[in-house]
Amino acid sequence: MTAAIDAINFATLDTEPFYLPIGDEVALFEAAYAARLPVLLKGPTGCGKTRFIEHMAWRLYRQRRKALEVPLVTISCHEDLTATDLVGRYLLKGDETLWSDGPLTRAVRTGAICYLDEIVEARKDTTVLIHSLTDHRRILPIDKTGELVSAHGDFLLVISYNPGYQSILKDLKHSTRQRFVSLDFDYPGREREAEIIAREAHVDESLAERLAVIGEKVRNLGEHGFEEGVSTRLLIYAAQLIRNGIEARRAADIALVAAVSDDRTVQAALADIVDTVLPATDP
Amino acid sequence: MTAAIDAINFATLDTEPFYLPIGDEVALFEAAYAARLPVLLKGPTGCGKTRFIEHMAWRLYRQRRKALEVPLVTISCHEDLTATDLVGRYLLKGDETLWSDGPLTRAVRTGAICYLDEIVEARKDTTVLIHSLTDHRRILPIDKTGELVSAHGDFLLVISYNPGYQSILKDLKHSTRQRFVSLDFDYPGREREAEIIAREAHVDESLAERLAVIGEKVRNLGEHGFEEGVSTRLLIYAAQLIRNGIEARRAADIALVAAVSDDRTVQAALADIVDTVLPATDP
Amino acid sequence: MTAAIDAINFATLDTEPFYLPIGDEVALFEAAYAARLPVLLKGPTGCGKTRFIEHMAWRLYRQRRKALEVPLVTISCHEDLTATDLVGRYLLKGDETLWSDGPLTRAVRTGAICYLDEIVEARKDTTVLIHSLTDHRRILPIDKTGELVSAHGDFLLVISYNPGYQSILKDLKHSTRQRFVSLDFDYPGREREAEIIAREAHVDESLAERLAVIGEKVRNLGEHGFEEGVSTRLLIYAAQLIRNGIEARRAADIALVAAVSDDRTVQAALADIVDTVLPATDP
Amino acid sequence: MTAAIDAINFATLDTEPFYLPIGDEVALFEAAYAARLPVLLKGPTGCGKTRFIEHMAWRLYRQRRKALEVPLVTISCHEDLTATDLVGRYLLKGDETLWSDGPLTRAVRTGAICYLDEIVEARKDTTVLIHSLTDHRRILPIDKTGELVSAHGDFLLVISYNPGYQSILKDLKHSTRQRFVSLDFDYPGREREAEIIAREAHVDESLAERLAVIGEKVRNLGEHGFEEGVSTRLLIYAAQLIRNGIEARRAADIALVAAVSDDRTVQAALADIVDTVLPATDP
Amino acid sequence: MTAAIDAINFATLDTEPFYLPIGDEVALFEAAYAARLPVLLKGPTGCGKTRFIEHMAWRLYRQRRKALEVPLVTISCHEDLTATDLVGRYLLKGDETLWSDGPLTRAVRTGAICYLDEIVEARKDTTVLIHSLTDHRRILPIDKTGELVSAHGDFLLVISYNPGYQSILKDLKHSTRQRFVSLDFDYPGREREAEIIAREAHVDESLAERLAVIGEKVRNLGEHGFEEGVSTRLLIYAAQLIRNGIEARRAADIALVAAVSDDRTVQAALADIVDTVLPATDP
Amino acid sequence: MTAAIDAINFATLDTEPFYLPIGDEVALFEAAYAARLPVLLKGPTGCGKTRFIEHMAWRLYRQRRKALEVPLVTISCHEDLTATDLVGRYLLKGDETLWSDGPLTRAVRTGAICYLDEIVEARKDTTVLIHSLTDHRRILPIDKTGELVSAHGDFLLVISYNPGYQSILKDLKHSTRQRFVSLDFDYPGREREAEIIAREAHVDESLAERLAVIGEKVRNLGEHGFEEGVSTRLLIYAAQLIRNGIEARRAADIALVAAVSDDRTVQAALADIVDTVLPATDP
């Protein structure tokens, strides 16, 4: 098994990651970081949790560190992710057996923020691993080498999960959950979302506004039986297709209607919204 | 476990792969490719999704690349396909341990289209792997080497699935699904299908037309309890058997009636259609 | 896990494998082979599918190949059969790591018929492997070596399954099934079966005829709740025991009645048939 | 996993294994062996199937072979028994990789009888392995070496199972079952059992007779809900305890009553039988 | 799999671990230790079991040992924790194969307290391992080396579990349970908890008292369907956020209301308590 | 997986292991050993089965063997215990591959008693392994080396299980069970238990007597829904705590009431018994 790890080296970024706050989440995160309290981000798919954590890493580390080292390690959890993937393993290189730190260990040693995305998808042994990093001990034991790594003063553990998904089988254990401060996320409001669409897809404000209206209306469709609304990402896709010459309703068809669900009833409800909001074009 | 991978090297092809469009799918795919939006192909077995993607790779890369390198990597997913199969592994060769890129990594580095056929059959860790390739990051992290591979500008990820099959256990996660523009596929209409049969099996138009009629009628049999109609491929098989001297109804028996189902009621319904459309021959 | 593989080298055979056709299956198979259409053999246990495919390999290759190489590779599938077993693996020999082709790869390279017996018993990754061998591509990708093996012009894939067995969990996927022409097999009629029994067990026609009558009557017992009739093989066993001095009814007891089922009711029904057909001998 | 294998070398035996026939099983087995028909032994625990096969191996091989090599290989099947355990594996010895035949392969090569005890307990891949050994082919393919081992002329495959046990999940597949002649076994009658007890435990005929009566009565208790009667082995245990000074009823208590079941009702029924048949001794 | 192990070396601590007793648990543990009786700690998440065992290790070893070696080994159990992880394994280092003691073995040899946290989460083979350490034998057998390690005189095994969690599938076996003296733990009373909050978060007594009142009220909410009350740790988090400038109710929102549950009803009940106890601040 | 093995070398013991017989079990075991009949010990947790077998090994081997070698091998079975753990494995040491006997093999070769504690917990392949050791053959086949080890004349196999526990899934197979003489064990009567408590905990007879009364009364509580009574071990724990200064009822609280169950009703019933039997002490 391999861990899907995305360690962003800020030295390679020359601009601040774009993030449009939707409430007081920036201040709350800064206070939690000041006290080094572990943070849990809750919210639906594609509402900007990954962007937020990239943005916060930038804010918190830009001034703290002159030499821009690796301050953020993102790990997408899945059911085959093991403790070994996170902590590290011995690798055979030629005649030697060398220890290779895993991404969590690298974050603990260097004082990065370690972001475990969709933590409940991971295997249970990974969950247990983080316990000693999230209480007064702040240590990571490495069984295979016998080393006890005390966390760098800048280290913080952040996890996310999506309450809409969780089955009983895959809920977060209380003994894990009660180690985190929780920040709730949701899709941005209409105006903010229009601003994001216009900026990301390079389309005019009028089109962006219409697509944001579609997003808002679809998310109010809760009673039609689909648990997740359309993500901001899909609205941006629709805008990009339009900018590349696809007729607006057709673009919404393939980026929104067909992408969100296979259920014909749900698709019809979405198509109605699209028809109402987007103008028909002459064939 | 091994990955079943089919990397087509266009340098070995001297003619364009045959594909008869059934709608605006070529234009839509070109617009998605222009914006590098990941694409999901939905549709039943044997309706031409693999042909379509081969055709599009040809269209998009023929002019772009003088030296015809490997622009398409097709991977048939199955439940034993792991992230390691896709990303790569260390191989022992003599005294050395050498890293060997997997097919997804090769596609990411060389800017090929990577086509994951029947994605929902794969193990979950493979699904997570593609997340960072399908958002603003466009990177593939290789845990074992510590490398972060930024996708070549030409790279695009395309996946397919068959909505008729999906059980609740094997549905695409929302957090994966909402990363793709969706193109719906279906069997071609009667005339187009006749054209395909005639071309592929080298039979005359009259026979091809009759077989296409059978295909159309069978697919309208939805109420008899089989979820998939007969594929175009099976109609071509019937034509080929006839061209090789098998009596028409007998050829339809073994290529269509017996091939589609073991259910006697379903077989009888198919046989009725065959009898109506194909002429009896004197014994 | 190991693959149970039976590769028959015709160079070691000096006579044609005996097979008594029960219909037009020989002509149908020859037409399918002429167009290189993959073939699915459907039918119950012990009705002669393995014999048929040996016979067809003999017919099709005898003239085609002067030097009689290995033209038939039979693989009995089971739930631990993996893609690696079929395709091949690296073996350590002394200091070297050598690639060793699996039986499917050998068949693909040398143009043999590859017969996968009871395909639905195999693991799913094996099923996916055969997809690219059964459409217009006719290639076998070998992931571990990076090789794409184009099938030899003589290669054909043949699979079998037994519709009486299949549970919902172990049915053939539509996307696999719709790649094959289907030939139905069943037990031979009374006269043909008597001919086979006489020939294989070296018994006289009268005894062979009586045993064939038993076979026919048992297979008509469908309403007594056993899904498979008695196989021709068991009738031959009974004949062989009689030829070795066992009294006829006692031979039928142990070769037929006790061998087919443990259910006392079913056994009684079979015993009645045996008593009716075979003469009692004085003790 | 390891295979529990018991290969008896007759060269180390100087007397015929004791077996008291209960019917025509010796003649039937000899006829089956003469035609090399695979044999299935059906019957309850401890009724003498293992003894019978040892006896038959002695009978069939004593004269046939001057030098008494290994003519019987007994393999107790269990759910972790794999095809590799039966066929063989590569072993690393110093710098060399040597092939080591498994017990089935040794039996096939040397012409031994191979006895697979409780075949339904084995993994499915082992069941498939024996198919090509039990039809006209009589070969054992060894995938890892590429060798096809033709069975020695003396080789015979014998399997056993206990119909009282079989759950639906662990039944013998029809395609396996219809490859064997079936011999039914049961516990011996009262007189024969008394003879066996007297001989094996070195007790007098009167005590042996009483214990055999207990055995007979217990087996008639079928309506009290235990599927297996008491085995002859346990009756011999009781006799041995008595010969070693334990009071008769107490010996029956621990060797029969407590050994057969934990159910108090069943134990009471057994104790009643013991009290009736065995005389009380003064304390 | 790796064991998450936290071996605290007291040589690196210069102050006594803070622990505020809630009853006679210190005296009871000292008596159990005096007789070397294994101890089971029962109680909910975050009520101070880990702190207690650190405190007891300090008390019991401070005077006993001049050189402060490793007197406490804490192991967080999880479902992938194997006996090998606890006992040790052979490691390949260069040309040599060296045995490496696992954490349990190190504790047994050096006379440390070994604390297995949430024992029921571990695999069953680990549970069996501790049997011979918790009866008159006090030995740890190491199968792989053949060594029998007699426990150092100071060694004691301590385990914990949380009765609120245990499902039937994950209960402690009677044969394990009846080897331990049991100490019940619960959250501290209001006054003691206020003292702990004030001390740990460096906030004034008035705020600490209010947060402790919230803790007490939430734990009385048992009838609202959440099995675990809020932990002391979360109350400290709230205090820390307030000290870092977050408005009191908002801090309680993210550290208590959102952290304890995703259930809107439960959250509303908690928010009511927070509103009652904490003063509103002007915006 | 590792086997938890406890091989007691009597050479290191200078006194007879204490065991107080509760019936004729010593004589019965000696008779079974004289005839080398395998023995099954049935009884609840902590009633002295392990002590009994240690005692019997001492009795039977003390005179038989001048040099006190390893006459008893105890193996605690669990669900990850494999046949390899019992029989042995190849170990790599430097350049050589050396065979290392497992504990069962060592017992078979040296003529020890091998005691498999809680046999039904082990994997099925271990159960099959012991079949050939418990019938007339008395051999242990070692598949990996091809060796057939004939048991030393002194060898005896003893197994235990706890009828109170067994689920249908984990019952002993009839074909295994009917190979053993069965000895029933239970907790000792009041007087004997008081004698044991006084001796083991070094407390006076009056206290020991009261604790034994508690044990007796608790075991009569069967109708309150807990299947196992309190073990003698826990009564000794209570006595030891009292001797170390804990007030009597408090000692009974933590060693008996809280240790036996988490069920409040059951605990109340136990507490009532404790209050009745033990005198209250002034605070």
Side-chain angles (χ1 to χ4, degrees), chain B residues 143-283:
Chain B
D143 173 39
K144 286 181 178 148
T145 63
E147 188 183 9
L148 284 179
V149 185
S150 290
H152 184 289
D154 292 351
F155 172 78
L156 191 76
L157 191 71
V158 181
I159 65 177
S160 79
Y161 90 131
N162 181 339
Y165 274 0
Q166 314 317 325
S167 65
I168 292 168
L169 282 171
K170 281 200 161 177
D171 213 350
L172 212 50
K173 288 172 61 177
H174 269 91
S175 60
T176 301
R177 184 174 190 139
Q178 295 216 350
R179 294 165 177 280
F180 293 86
V181 164
S182 292
L183 297 186
D184 273 314
F185 280 76
D186 208 341
Y187 297 114
R190 188 204 298 186
E191 280 174 42
R192 270 201 185 74
E193 190 156 41
E195 191 180 336
I196 297 169
I197 294 168
R199 182 190 162 106
E200 295 275 322
H202 308 289
V203 294
D204 64 54
E205 287 177 24
S206 151
L207 174 61
E209 165 77 12
R210 277 179 177 146
L211 288 167
V213 169
I214 292 176
E216 185 178 54
K217 285 182 184 290
V218 170
R219 289 165 200 148
N220 292 336
L221 269 185
E223 67 273 25
H224 284 80
F226 58 107
E227 294 127 28
E228 298 246 17
V230 67
S231 67
T232 306
R233 181 184 295 120
L234 287 182
L235 297 173
I236 295 170
Y237 281 6
Q240 286 177 300
L241 288 171
I242 293 166
R243 200 167 57 93
N244 277 284
I246 303 298
E247 188 268 331
R249 289 189 174 183
R250 191 74 182 111
D253 262 4
I254 69 168
L256 306 178
V257 178
V260 164
S261 173
D262 299 328
D263 185 313
R264 297 290 173 197
T265 320
V266 174
Q267 291 185 343
L270 262 70
D272 281 351
I273 291 172
V274 167
D275 286 353
T276 311
V277 178
L278 288 180
T281 341
D282 296 297

Side-chain angles (χ1 to χ4, degrees), chain C residues 218-237:
Chain C
V218 170
R219 288 163 200 149
N220 292 336
L221 269 184
E223 67 273 23
H224 284 79
F226 59 107
E227 293 128 26
E228 298 246 16
V230 67
S231 67
T232 307
R233 181 184 294 121
L234 287 182
L235 297 172
I236 296 169
Y237 281 6

Side-chain angles (χ1 to χ4, degrees), chain A:
Chain A
M1 305 306 111
T2 69
I5 292 142
D6 165 18
I8 289 179
N9 189 329
F10 272 56
T12 67
L13 283 183
D14 46 12
T15 56
E16 178 176 340
F18 172 68
Y19 178 76
L20 199 59
I22 53 175
D24 59 352
E25 69 269 28
V26 170
L28 292 175
F29 193 94
E30 285 181 336
Y33 186 79
R36 296 298 184 271
L37 304 182
V39 179
L40 162 63
L41 312 181
K42 290 199 286 190
T45 290
C47 70
K49 297 190 298 288
T50 300
R51 283 279 175 114
F52 172 68
I53 198 69
E54 292 181 358
H55 179 76
M56 291 312 300
W58 175 271
R59 280 180 78 96
L60 293 167
Y61 285 85
R62 194 179 28 173
Q63 291 164 342
R64 182 182 303 271
R65 302 198 168 191
K66 299 290 181 269
L68 286 166
E69 298 135 19
V70 180
L72 174 64
V73 173
T74 299
I75 301 167
S76 299
C77 299
H78 55 81
E79 61 195 28
D80 298 313
L81 187 78
T82 65
T84 295
D85 293 324
L86 292 177
V87 172
R89 51 168 58 86
Y90 281 108
L91 293 180
L92 291 169
K93 298 208 175 162
D95 279 359
E96 288 178 294
T97 307
L98 300 177
W99 174 258
S100 166
D101 275 350
L104 176 58
T105 305
R106 287 197 299 266
V108 168
R109 287 195 207 277
T110 62
I113 290 176
C114 183
Y115 177 47
L116 296 171
D117 194 14
E118 299 204 34
I119 181 77
V120 294
E121 300 290 335
R123 288 168 54 115
K124 291 291 164 57
D125 57 344
T126 62
T127 313
V128 167
L129 249 191
I130 63 181
H131 279 198
S132 62
L133 281 169
T134 50
D135 58 24
H136 64 283
R137 295 173 289 178
R138 280 180 66 89
I139 56 170
L140 177 68
I142 305 183
D143 174 37
K144 285 181 178 148
T145 63
E147 188 182 10
L148 284 178
V149 185
S150 290
H152 184 288
D154 291 352
F155 172 78
L156 190 76
L157 190 71
V158 181
I159 64 178
S160 79
Y161 90 132
N162 181 338
Y165 274 1
Q166 314 316 326
S167 65
I168 292 168
L169 282 172
K170 282 200 160 177
D171 213 351
L172 212 51
K173 287 172 61 176
H174 269 91
S175 60
T176 300
R177 183 174 190 139
Q178 295 216 348
R179 295 165 176 280
F180 292 86
V181 164
S182 292
L183 297 186
D184 273 315
F185 280 77
D186 208 341
Y187 296 114
R190 188 203 298 184
E191 281 173 41
R192 270 201 185 74
E193 191 157 41
E195 192 181 336
I196 297 169
I197 294 168
R199 180 189 164 107
E200 295 274 322
H202 308 289
V203 295
D204 64 54
E205 287 177 23
S206 151
L207 175 61
E209 165 77 12
R210 277 180 178 143
L211 289 167
V213 169
I214 291 176
E216 185 179 52
K217 286 182 184 290
V218 170
R219 289 165 200 147
N220 292 336
L221 269 185
E223 67 272 26
H224 284 80
F226 58 106
E227 294 127 26
E228 298 246 18
V230 66
S231 67
T232 306
R233 181 183 295 121
L234 288 183
L235 298 173
I236 296 169
Y237 281 5
Q240 286 177 300
L241 287 171
I242 294 166
R243 199 166 60 93
N244 277 285
I246 303 298
E247 188 268 331
R249 288 189 174 183
R250 192 73 183 111
D253 262 4
I254 68 168
L256 306 178
V257 178
V260 164
S261 174
D262 298 328
D263 185 313
R264 297 291 173 196
T265 320
V266 174
Q267 291 185 343
L270 263 70
D272 281 351
I273 292 172
V274 168
D275 286 353
T276 309
V277 178
L278 289 180
T281 342
D282 297 297

Side-chain angles (χ1 to χ4, degrees), chain E residues 115-135:
Chain E
Y115 176 48
L116 296 171
D117 194 14
E118 299 205 34
I119 182 77
V120 293
E121 300 290 335
R123 287 167 55 116
K124 291 292 165 56
D125 58 343
T126 61
T127 313
V128 167
L129 248 192
I130 64 181
H131 279 198
S132 62
L133 281 169
T134 51
D135 58 24

Side-chain angles (χ1 to χ4, degrees), chain F residues 52-53 88 97 147 155 187 243 257:
Chain F
F52 172 68
I53 198 68
T97 308
E147 188 182 8
F155 172 78
Y187 297 114
R243 200 166 58 92
V257 178

